[in-house]
Every structure is written in C-alpha cells, then in structure tokens.
Amino acid sequence: EAVPEHYHAVDYALKEIGCDPLPIDCCLLTFASWMGGDRDGNPYVTAALTRRVVYLSQWRAATLYWTEVGTLLWDLSVAGMPNNEVMEELNRIFGEQNAQRQGGTTIKKSTSMSAMNFDFYRPQLETEEYYRQVLTHIRDRLAVTVRRAAALSSDLPAPEESFVPPYVKTTE
C-alpha cells in the first residue's frame, strides 16, 4: 500500500507546481533482491539455494496476486455484455480447457465455474458476470502456481495438475 500512496503523493506534488501527472506506465521505483544471488564467492550460496529462493519468491508473489484477485471477485460487480477482449479471453480459456478434456478443439462453455471455484456462487455468474469467469480462471491458475512453487521450493516434485496450468512465464 505504500507504493501507490507514494505515487499519489508525487502526482499531487506535481499538480501543485503546475506539472502534468505521472504517466500511467511510469516506474519511479524498481524493487530488487540479492536473495540467493550472491554467487560470486560466497560458499553458502549454491545453485540449489538460488533455485529454492526463486521458487519461494514465486510462491510469495503468486500468493499475493491470488489474494488480490480474490478481493476483486468480491469487490467488482459488472453485469451485462462484456467487451471484445473479455469475450476473446473467455473463448481462449474455454477452448483450452475443452481441448484438454476432450482431446479436440471444439469451444464449449466450461462447467468448471461452479461453487467450488467461487467463495460465493449465484447462477447468474455464468451468464451475466463474464469478468468473474476470467478472474476465477486467473485465480485458479494462481492457486496451481502457489502449490507448484511450494513443492519445488521444498525439493518435492511439482504436483500433477489437470485442466489449469500454472503460471511459469512473466509474459503470461
């Protein structure tokens, strides 16, 4: 919460002196860490330790995102027809899930959007609140990512997941 407050303070200060606000993609701060990266002579920092730190960092980041997406599922309420981007994402999600289930490429509405995927459930979620379906898919993938990172950080095999892949690339 401190970072957004800092950005708002900078925006306010800029406004007060007559300047334009920060651009939406402005990056005033960059976070970095040396955890597991001091490999230039420190005998206690091994490849195994670096790998563990990477998975622990992935676990923590995915857990934080999972919490935020869960909050959005409760806080947002948008009924009605979605925009093209949301429909394209739903078709992509349902197409991938159906291909995995059926071994084909037919796009058919997923039945995975059920009470077990929501902390709450109402039938109209499947027909009126399309964005919740996208957020639920994202949250499901984050949950798989959390389980995978937790296992790998403990030198256990990654759990076998069906239908929903974990996030493994920063571009996803």
Side-chain angles (χ1 to χ4, degrees):
E1 293 178 17
V3 173
E5 288 176 13
H6 176 71
Y7 274 66
H8 289 299
V10 171
D11 257 347
Y12 181 77
L14 289 171
K15 180 181 174 184
E16 287 295 307
I17 61 171
C19 294
D20 291 334
L22 294 171
I24 193 73
D25 59 350
C26 177
C27 181
L28 293 177
L29 304 171
T30 302
F31 294 95
S33 170
W34 279 87
M35 294 184 308
D38 188 17
R39 308 245 345 249
D40 57 354
N42 186 335
Y44 298 106
V45 181
T46 63
L49 178 65
T50 301
R51 187 173 22 264
R52 181 166 189 242
V53 168
V54 167
Y55 288 128
L56 285 171
S57 297
Q58 183 184 44
W59 169 81
R60 183 65 180 142
T63 300
L64 291 170
Y65 280 121
W66 184 90
T67 302
E68 290 299 316
V69 170
T71 300
L72 285 175
L73 280 167
W74 280 99
D75 289 349
L76 294 178
S77 179
V78 180
M81 287 306 297
N83 62 26
N84 289 339
E85 289 84 5
V86 171
M87 287 308 293
E88 288 171 8
E89 183 64 10
L90 282 172
N91 286 331
R92 187 192 64 74
I93 290 167
F94 295 148
E96 286 175 5
Q97 289 175 352
N98 287 322
Q100 287 177 333
R101 285 188 189 117
Q102 301 168 2
T105 58
T106 306
I107 295 178
K108 179 181 170 188
K109 187 164 184 174
S110 171
T111 58
S112 69
M113 304 301 157
S114 65
M116 67 182 222
N117 292 327
F118 288 100
D119 295 329
F120 52 90
Y121 182 73
R122 295 174 305 173
Q124 66 268 31
L125 292 180
E126 291 191 13
T127 58
E128 294 178 8
E129 296 180 340
Y130 296 95
Y131 77 94
R132 287 189 199 256
Q133 294 178 46
V134 173
L135 287 175
T136 298
H137 177 75
I138 292 169
R139 190 174 70 167
D140 290 347
R141 285 192 70 188
L142 287 167
V144 170
T145 303
V146 167
R147 288 191 297 273
R148 177 181 178 273
L152 293 173
S153 71
S154 299
D155 287 329
L156 298 172
E160 292 292 323
E161 301 290 345
S162 60
F163 303 122
V164 182
Y167 287 107
V168 292
K169 297 178 185 174
T170 58
T171 56
E172 295 180 282

